[in-house]
Amino acid sequence: MDMTVSLYGQISALAQKEWIKLRLFGAIPFILALVLCTDFYLTLKTIMAVHGAAPTMQGIIFKEQVFFDRFTWFFSIAGLFFASLQIMPECIQGRLRLALHMPTSPRLVLAVPVVVGLTLQVLLGLVAFIGLTVACTQLNFPWEVTVPMISTVLPWIIAGIVAWCATAAAIADPSYIRKVMMLLFGLGYISMLTTSRGWNDMEESLWIYTLVSLPWTATYYISALRIKG
């Protein structure tokens, strides 16, 4: 029982530490996501008012236009932002090395930031997905159009998760060569996920990209352990 309470206490303390690092600026990406959703809604509403609803809808369907393409790199930039807020303070003046040698389990010390960071990325994607869906509903888009069009953001959300992992690992790794390599590999993988050729064009292969992305979640753990020595 004491061990269980101790474990919960450690997780609570580490989670509170993440909250302290994120509380001032952590809401910025969520606010920007809502702003981009609003911009999508107002842009299409204006186009429909000028050109008419039917011609606009025909153009959107036949050309598979995505008017929320500002989201393409948004999640990746947000991943870089969150990872910097969370991991950069830990790597100043050897704080991470010290944390890894404290009585708290090193696995917990490294796992909690990852869980928090990836949860934020998923929540950010959910906010954008819901916001775009609400906008399409207000514009009276049929579900046959809304679902495939909005599903285009799914690979971009995965790209954001990879961006968080690559950034966190690059910040934590003590080798400058590995830092650069991690960022370059991450950028290459993100580029594949953000290359859109139409609505939901990765529908059939998205599960493969998701599986291939899973090892990225371990990169911060591996890089941070090199600090411990």
Side-chain angles (χ1 to χ4, degrees):
M1 182 66 178
D2 292 337
M3 292 181 61
T4 303
V5 173
S6 177
L7 178 62
Y8 286 152
Q10 292 179 38
I11 294 175
S12 177
L14 291 170
Q16 186 175 7
K17 186 179 180 182
E18 295 303 308
W19 162 249
I20 292 172
K21 290 184 288 186
L22 292 164
R23 62 181 178 177
L24 293 179
F25 304 106
I28 292 177
F30 292 93
I31 296 172
L32 290 177
L34 294 176
V35 170
L36 292 179
C37 290
T38 303
D39 177 73
F40 164 71
Y41 170 74
L42 294 177
T43 299
L44 271 178
K45 187 176 182 180
T46 301
I47 293 174
M48 294 173 75
V50 173
H51 299 285
T56 301
M57 185 64 67
Q58 289 178 355
I60 291 174
I61 294 173
F62 290 113
K63 296 180 181 179
E64 293 194 353
Q65 293 174 300
V66 178
F67 285 91
F68 48 85
D69 52 353
R70 293 184 182 179
F71 275 110
T72 305
W73 286 86
F74 172 76
F75 300 106
S76 299
I77 295 173
L80 187 152
F81 178 74
F82 283 132
S84 299
L85 283 182
Q86 293 180 259
I87 310 302
M88 192 73 75
E90 299 296 328
C91 297
I92 297 175
Q93 298 178 345
R95 294 175 185 174
L96 184 57
R97 180 189 296 271
L98 178 62
L100 292 175
H101 285 87
M102 293 181 69
T104 306
S105 169
R107 292 183 179 181
L108 281 179
V109 171
L110 299 178
V112 170
V114 174
V115 171
V116 171
L118 300 190
T119 299
L120 287 173
Q121 288 294 124
V122 172
L123 289 176
L124 183 63
L126 186 62
V127 167
F129 199 87
I130 293 175
L132 292 173
T133 302
V134 170
C136 287
T137 302
Q138 292 297 314
L139 293 167
N140 297 316
F141 281 18
W143 282 108
E144 293 79 6
V145 173
T146 298
V147 173
M149 182 168 65
I150 302 302
S151 296
T152 306
V153 305
L154 294 177
W156 305 344
I157 295 172
I158 298 175
I161 292 174
V162 173
W164 189 98
C165 296
T167 304
I171 293 173
D173 202 297
S175 168
Y176 286 101
I177 294 177
R178 285 195 295 265
K179 287 178 185 289
V180 174
M181 293 300 294
M182 189 65 66
L183 290 175
L184 289 177
F185 278 121
L187 181 61
Y189 194 78
I190 290 168
S191 297
M192 288 192 299
L193 289 168
T194 52
T195 301
S196 179
R197 293 170 292 275
W199 291 355
N200 201 18
D201 60 330
M202 292 185 180
E203 180 181 7
E204 297 182 357
S205 59
L206 186 60
W207 67 275
I208 299 176
Y209 282 99
T210 302
L211 289 177
V212 176
S213 299
L214 291 178
W216 280 99
T217 59
T219 52
Y220 171 62
Y221 182 82
I222 296 171
S223 296
L225 284 182
R226 293 194 178 101
I227 296 177
K228 184 179 180 181

